[in-house]
Amino acid sequence: MIAIRTEKEIDLMRQANAIVAHAHKLAATMIQPGVRTDEIDRAVEALILSEGGKPAFKGYRGYPASTCISIEEEVVHGIPGARKLQAGQVVSIDIGASYKGYFGDAAVTHACSGVDLLRVRLLDVTDLALSRAIRQARTGGHLNDIGKVIEQTAHDAGFSVVRDYVGHGIGTQMHEEPQVLNFDNRMPGPELREGMVLAIEPMLNAGTDEVRSKSDGWTVVTADGKPSAHFEHTVVVREAGGEILSWCDAPMWGDKQD
Ligand code: MF3
Ligand code: CO
């Protein structure tokens, strides 16, 4: 069963996602060489709490932080710590918050200082894949339309799609039905209906789609060590395509709504 949310519930989710967006805006200002990833995590956590939200990731299945910060070949679920950002790296920041019982979830991958052309393209294509997927979050479409356009966009650019991690429904829990695949499942899947809320989160790799988990039990890395990018928005299914609840006018996102 995929929940259909009332406009009142969607308003609460808009507020939860506004907190997530503000946190992203703050995090974006901290993406600089020499910054420790746990400094970013602490600032984000403080902001979420100051706006009356709760960090959604902290304590989730024992996860120890309020953000996931995944650098270079780290795909998702990087744990913030003493590691410092370096110029030339791609850095994914993933943030979740709850507000009055409703959840918001969004991720963006930043370029730390100057990055090479491969990385610029990887970020652009992953962001484009998300934009195109959001357009498919429309009444009367099918769930698989989302994965199909993500896979097509990745493959056209010569990138691979991570298959082991997926997007999800979101509402009164961070993870709800359905799973939102980032690839073509070759079956239409459930029909999309107005008021369904999905966290769509493509993860694209410069090389192989194969990933493995590190011994910390969380960090997911590419098997070949090549860089990976991850973008995520919380989106309501609407007639004309998805309405983004986690919209953020921070760098990497602000100039990219289409
Ligand atoms: N955006 C990620 C997800 O939807 C974040 C979860 S990380 C965890 O799965 F730490 F909370 F597990
Ligand atoms: Co998510």
Side-chain angles (χ1 to χ4, degrees):
M1 255 289 290
I2 306 173
I4 307 281
R5 301 293 170 187
T6 64
E7 290 304 321
K8 211 169 143 180
E9 289 180 290
I10 289 169
D11 262 327
L12 289 167
M13 295 192 73
R14 193 173 279 112
Q15 293 180 63
N17 278 287
I19 295 172
V20 170
H22 296 157
H24 270 293
K25 202 164 178 175
L26 173 63
T29 67
M30 299 181 73
I31 304 293
Q32 286 169 42
V35 173
R36 283 170 59 129
T37 56
D38 58 4
E39 293 175 54
I40 300 171
D41 186 74
R42 252 188 290 120
V44 163
E45 181 175 301
L47 184 135
I48 291 171
L49 294 171
S50 79
E51 296 197 0
K54 289 187 200 135
F57 299 172
K58 204 164 200 173
Y60 181 86
R61 298 189 179 187
Y63 187 74
S66 295
T67 60
C68 300
I69 303 184
S70 309
I71 301 171
E72 285 286 292
E73 76 285 0
E74 297 174 354
V75 178
V76 286
H77 303 169
I79 303 172
R83 184 169 176 192
K84 289 178 175 162
L85 303 183
Q86 292 172 21
Q89 291 177 327
V90 290
V91 183
S92 146
I93 312 268
D94 192 349
I95 302 173
S98 66
Y99 182 75
K100 296 188 177 171
Y102 288 84
F103 282 78
D105 190 3
V108 57
T109 303
H110 296 277
C112 181
S113 195
V115 297
D116 65 14
L117 269 173
L118 171 76
R119 287 169 175 75
V120 169
R121 224 165 52 76
L122 181 63
L123 299 188
D124 277 349
V125 171
T126 309
D127 194 24
L128 176 64
L130 176 57
S131 295
R132 287 181 174 166
I134 290 168
R135 226 171 294 150
Q136 294 304 316
R138 57 184 178 82
T139 312
H142 290 84
L143 188 62
N144 191 51
D145 300 344
I146 290 172
K148 211 149 82 179
V149 76
I150 291 169
E151 182 170 26
Q152 189 67 54
T153 302
H155 288 177
D156 284 353
F159 296 135
S160 69
V161 169
V162 174
R163 302 172 73 93
D164 293 1
Y165 295 85
V166 299
H168 48 95
I170 180 167
T172 53
Q173 292 179 306
M174 181 165 62
H175 293 148
E176 298 186 356
E177 280 183 56
Q179 292 199 351
V180 182
L181 307 186
N182 294 309
F183 55 88
D184 185 358
N185 198 30
R186 303 194 182 275
M187 287 186 290
E191 188 172 321
L192 299 175
R193 294 173 56 193
E194 173 114 11
M196 290 177 172
V197 186
L198 305 173
I200 305 176
E201 48 180 318
M203 290 144 264
L204 268 56
N205 294 348
T208 179
D209 62 356
E210 234 180 284
V211 298
R212 59 178 187 80
S213 289
K214 291 191 32 171
S215 57
D216 63 16
W218 283 100
T219 313
V220 178
V221 293
T222 58
D224 60 8
K226 291 188 179 167
S228 183
H230 175 215
F231 286 76
E232 174 179 26
H233 271 307
T234 298
V235 167
V236 187
V237 174
R238 299 292 195 192
E239 288 284 343
E243 176 193 347
I244 300 171
L245 295 183
S246 47
W247 183 252
C248 176
D249 58 356
M252 278 314 297
W253 263 347
D255 55 344
K256 290 232 167 60
Q257 190 170 32
D258 67 342

